[in-house]
Amino acid sequence: MTDVDEVGARIEQLLGGFSGTDAELAEDLVHTLLEFYGAGLARIVEVVDRPVLDRLAEDDLVRGLLVLHDLHPRSTHERVAEALDKVRPYLGSHAGDVEFVGIDDGVLRLRLQGSCDGCPSSTVTAKYAIERVVREAAPEISDVVVDGVVADGAGPAETGPGGRPLLPLCPVEVP
């Protein structure tokens, strides 16, 4: 199992199987192991040259570990800015852009700019595209709030697997 989210979910599931004093001991064991591995990873980060560390940080698994232990070589702000640059061509094709407002307690605040005349669902599609690239770059972001996303007036969106909205897409492919 190498997916960071899967491992986290599995740990939570296993810890949920304990109760009382056993639960406290299990949580203490997990925290102790995380501290131990985090300290070892911190030593590696100290020794490795920056170009090598940057290459390692591109790997999803390594990036997740670096973020978990607050060792990522680039700040959350830098990684979010890079992610937004990836989605800007899509937004620009709809005469729009996104402005970085700030990060507060793990919540990223953005402002959608411009409009997508004649394509009301495109703003929801844009929000989805933004959330996807941001979560890939900065998994420590707990929520993405995008001001300027307008509803299409069609009522609640249908959802597909994983609760993702089923959206009528505009003719432009989402990055």
Side-chain angles (χ1 to χ4, degrees), residues 116-124 150-153 170:
C116 299
D117 293 332
C119 190
S121 64
S122 64
T123 54
V124 176
V150 295
D152 64 5
C170 290

Side-chain angles (χ1 to χ4, degrees), residues 33 41 50 89 119 123 144 149:
L33 285 171
L41 190 56
R50 179 63 189 254
C119 190
T123 54
V144 179
V149 173

Side-chain angles (χ1 to χ4, degrees), residues 6-34:
E6 286 179 22
V7 171
R10 179 70 176 140
I11 290 170
E12 288 295 322
Q13 179 187 23
L14 291 170
L15 287 174
F18 293 95
S19 62
T21 306
D22 290 341
E24 292 173 18
L25 289 172
E27 286 186 32
D28 189 32
L29 173 62
V30 169
H31 289 287
T32 302
L33 285 171
L34 281 173

